[in-house]
Amino acid sequence: ENTDFIIDSLQEKEYQIISPIKKREERSAIIHFNTGSLETTEKLYKKLIHANILITLQGENIRVSPSFFTTKEEIKILLDLV
């Protein structure tokens, strides 16, 4: 459910989602996405890190990995910043 919420929100904001998302059975809780350019993806990454959002930058993509214990409120904070 949290993963779906993040994916839907990122798609609405027109981010490029790299992780498999078309078939639910191919998904995991890990979501890789980018802004379309390395420069703006790195800027967004730094913004999120500065806001104490726990993510990683892997190659040209931001990796989000919500756990079972991640709350909707925490996810909303992330999505408000992107």
Side-chain angles (χ1 to χ4, degrees):
E1 182 178 308
N2 284 343
T3 303
D4 292 338
F5 181 55
I6 294 170
I7 289 170
D8 291 344
S9 296
L10 291 173
Q11 286 180 318
E12 286 176 15
K13 295 179 181 205
E14 298 184 357
Y15 285 101
Q16 295 179 1
I17 301 174
I18 308 306
S19 304
I21 59 171
K22 290 182 182 178
K23 295 182 182 178
R24 192 178 190 104
E25 61 272 8
E26 293 177 358
R27 292 184 188 176
S28 73
I30 298 169
I31 304 160
H32 288 89
F33 74 98
N34 65 54
T35 63
S37 84
L38 180 58
E39 182 180 340
T40 56
T41 298
E42 287 176 339
K43 285 181 183 178
L44 178 58
Y45 169 76
K46 289 175 185 175
K47 175 183 174 182
L48 295 172
I49 290 296
H50 184 71
N52 295 318
I53 305 294
L54 298 177
I55 53 163
T56 58
L57 185 65
Q58 295 185 336
E60 299 177 354
N61 304 307
I62 294 173
R63 177 185 184 264
V64 178
S65 182
S67 75
F68 176 78
F69 299 103
T70 305
T71 66
K72 276 269 200 261
E73 290 75 26
E74 291 169 323
I75 292 171
K76 286 179 183 178
I77 292 168
L78 162 72
L79 295 172
D80 286 344
L81 290 168
V82 298

